[in-house]
Structure formats: C-alpha cells, structure tokens
C-alpha cells in the first residue's frame, strides 16, 4: 500500500511541492531568490527561458503545474514576454490549486517582487505541510524511465533490470513510460511485434523512422564521445541496451510531451520534434527528457547510468540505477541502486530488480532519493514543435 496526496481531478501525488515558475529568463533570478530559503521545504523552480511564443512550452508548463506531485504554484513574470501567463494561471486555478502571479514590472522591481513572493510561498508551504495523505494503490502510479551517461554495461545490467521492474509493475496495474526514439533506431520492428494493434505497430516503426531522419538532417545522432569511451560501438548497440528498459510487455500506445496516457499500460514517449529541425537537438540534455516524462504524468523517474550522472529533477524524484561497479564505487553518494553487482557475479538481474521495485515503493511513500537528499532540482525546457497525435497512437 502506498500513500499519496489526493488532487481535485482524482489523481494522487507522491510529493506535495510548491512550484515557483518563471515565464521568461529575465524573471529567473527573482524566481530563484523567492524559492531559495524554502528549497529544503518542498519549493521547486521551473520555467521557460524564451521570450518568443512556443505552444510546446505553454503545454509543458500547464502539465507540470497541474502534476499530481504539485500542491501550489507561484508564477513569476517580467511582464513583456510572450508566454501566456494568464492561461497558465487559469489552468492551475481550475485544477483547485492555490496560484498567484507576480509581474516584476508592476511590483516595483526585484526586491519588492522577492518579498511578496517569499511571503506567499511561506504561507503555502505551511498549508501544504498540513495536507493529509490518503491510501494509494500501485495501479495509480506512473513510472517513467531514461538512461544517461550510458556505457557498455548499461545494456547488460541496469537497463534490463528496469525492464524487469516495468514488467512487474505493469502486471500490478501501474502505468510505465519509456522514451527517446532517437535511441531506439534499429529496434523499431522488434517494438512493432509487441504492439497492442497492427496499426500501432506501423506507427512505432514510423515514429523511430522520423527520429532517424531528424538526426540525419542535424548531422549528428544520439551518440556521445562518452558513450564510445565507455565501450559502446554504434547507435544500434546503444539502442539495443536502451530498448531493454522497456521490458517485454505489450506496448499500448505512443504519446508526446505533456500528453498523459489515456489508460493503464506501457507507452512510448516520442520526444523528437515533428517537421524539419527548427530549434536544435531534441535531447539537449537528460533533464529536458526527464521533464517531458514528468509532464506526461510520471510520479517517479528511473534513471540508469553507466558512466555516471548526478542530476536529479524538479517536480518528481529520480531514482538512479548504476550499471557499472567501478562507477558505483566512485559515485555511490549519488546512486540509489547498484546494478554493477550483476557484472561482479554477486547478484542476479532478478535480485536487483527486486531491490529497485522495493525502492520505488519506499520513494512513493516519502523516502528521499539520493538526488533529493542532495537538493538536486535540475530543470530544462527548450523550444520544440509537435503535431497532434495520429489516430491509432492511443487505445480507444
């Protein structure tokens, strides 16, 4: 049995955070100053740096501000940017959450805005700390997964462990999301064989094909120098390792950032923009994709790494699964699960999968991940463009 925070829409969160949201980079400093005294009390900063309008950014912020892990929202605006702060405030208000907007140009500048924001945030955090919890079932949990800093051990230990955990929690009625179509190149027909419908199978192949074309136009694939130095030879080899995170269960649908699955099951998150490249890399860094997983409803994100990564995330906790025993020795204070023991012959995939599933339950019940304990709250939101989902992507 889990415990959660009940929201007006019926969803339950495993955290009860207050968000401070900047609507342009010009308001970022003020937002950070408002949040800083409360960063150990559940206040997180997210936002959009751009001034030019972008539908993707609007939709991402709306989804994140109404995420079940969020209990209150403070919007910090400069005043002349294009992001639709009024629409964002209305969406948050309609969700039943307390929300306030501070416009720096109308609040007599930075110092005044910071004082107003800190007073409001203090009051909201005190209220959130008194919020009662309610029983929550595994079938109400949404779990996302990503890999970063991959090496040759990732596809042998940590990623297959996540796949086993996905298969287990899916049997219990949970929802699972895997992503990064640019790192599934070569696996599309294998995925298609797992599709819930023939139509979805064709769309899975098409989605990975879109990613391949996008990277070809950019002139560089989703393969880093660090991957090569870690023993990975090709994008196909990296893809097979990344693909193993999805497990062996039936794939129920395809979603895009800020679109939540419409039913229980396993979903592929397509993070590669539609159309010709306009804004740059679809995976500028791991935190951009973590944010997209969270915007699709993930309560918690499973992050596998072979070379090592220390990032966490705003809005939802990140559980680190270390694939490489040598990396774990170097970065144990940042890692939650050591899957390197599999390479050392000390544990099996099933042994470590059991530890990871237990860890998910503990984190869902309030135990802090290593990155949470270190106050990691990284967040990245860039420009992107997406079309609407094609018919057949979601179950009827």
């Amino acid at each position: 049995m889990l415990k959660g925070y009940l929201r007006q829409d019926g969803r339950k969160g495993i955290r009860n955070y207050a968000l401070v949201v900047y609507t342009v980079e010009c308001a970022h400093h003020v937002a950070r100053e408002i949040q800083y005294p409360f960063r150990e009390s559940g206040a997180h900063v997210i936002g959009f740096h751009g001034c030019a309008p972008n539908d993707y950014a609007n939709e991402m912020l709306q989804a994140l501000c109404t995420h079940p892990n969020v209990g209150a929202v403070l919007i910090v605006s400069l005043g002349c940017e294009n992001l639709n702060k009024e629409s964002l405030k209305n969406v948050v208000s309609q969700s039943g959450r307390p929300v306030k907007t501070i416009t720096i140009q109308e609040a007599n500048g930075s110092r005044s805005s910071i004082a107003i924001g800190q007073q409001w945030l203090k009051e909201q955090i005190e209220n959130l700390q008194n919020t009662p919890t309610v029983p929550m079932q595994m079938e109400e949990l949404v779990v996302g997964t990503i890999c970063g800093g991959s090496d040759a051990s990732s596809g042998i230990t940590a990623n297959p462990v996540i796949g086993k955990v996905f298969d287990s929690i899916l049997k219990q009625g949970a929802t699972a999301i895997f992503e990064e179509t640019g790192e599934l190149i070569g696996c599309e027909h294998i995925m298609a064989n797992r599709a819930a419908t023939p139509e979805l199978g064709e769309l899975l192949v098409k989605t990975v094909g879109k990613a391949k074309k996008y990277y070809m136009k950019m002139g560089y694939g989703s393969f880093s120098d660090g991957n090569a130095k870690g023993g990975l030879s090709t994008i196909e080899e990296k893809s097979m390792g990344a693909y193993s995170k999805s497990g062996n269960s039936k794939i129920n649908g395809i979603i895009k950032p800020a679109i939540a699955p419409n039913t229980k099951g396993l979903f592929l998150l397509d993070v590669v923009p539609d159309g010709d490249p306009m804004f740059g890399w679809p995976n500028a860094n791991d935190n951009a994709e973590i944010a997209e997983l969270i915007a699709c409803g993930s309560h918690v994100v499973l992050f596998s790494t072979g070379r090592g990564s220390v990032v966490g995330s705003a809005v939802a906790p990140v559980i680190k699964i270390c694939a490489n025993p040598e990396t774990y020795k170097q970065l144990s204070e940042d890692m939650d699960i050591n899957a390197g023991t599999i390479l050392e012959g000390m544990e099996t995939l099933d042994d470590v999968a059991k530890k990871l599933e237990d860890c998910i339950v503990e984190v869902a019940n309030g135990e802090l991940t290593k990155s949470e304990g270190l106050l990691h709250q990284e967040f990245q939101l860039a420009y992107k463009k997406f079309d609407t989902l094609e018919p057949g992507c979601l179950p009827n």
Side-chain angles (χ1 to χ4, degrees), residues 147-163 227 230-232 236-246 304-307 321-324 339 342-343 349:
C147 49
S150 299
D151 70 4
S153 69
S154 298
I156 300 171
T157 61
N159 290 350
V161 162
I162 292 172
N227 295 148
L232 289 171
E236 288 81 8
E237 183 183 10
K238 183 180 181 182
S239 293
M240 287 301 295
Y243 170 72
S244 65
K245 299 196 308 297
S246 67
S304 73
T305 182
R307 295 297 303 272
I321 305 96
C322 187
N324 190 313
I342 298 166
L343 277 185
L349 287 169

Side-chain angles (χ1 to χ4, degrees), residues 110-129:
S110 296
R111 292 186 187 277
S112 176
S113 298
I114 291 167
I116 294 168
Q118 288 183 348
Q119 180 59 38
W120 189 87
L121 191 59
K122 181 177 182 291
E123 294 170 0
Q124 297 310 314
I125 288 175
E126 289 174 353
N127 291 335
L128 293 177
Q129 289 173 342

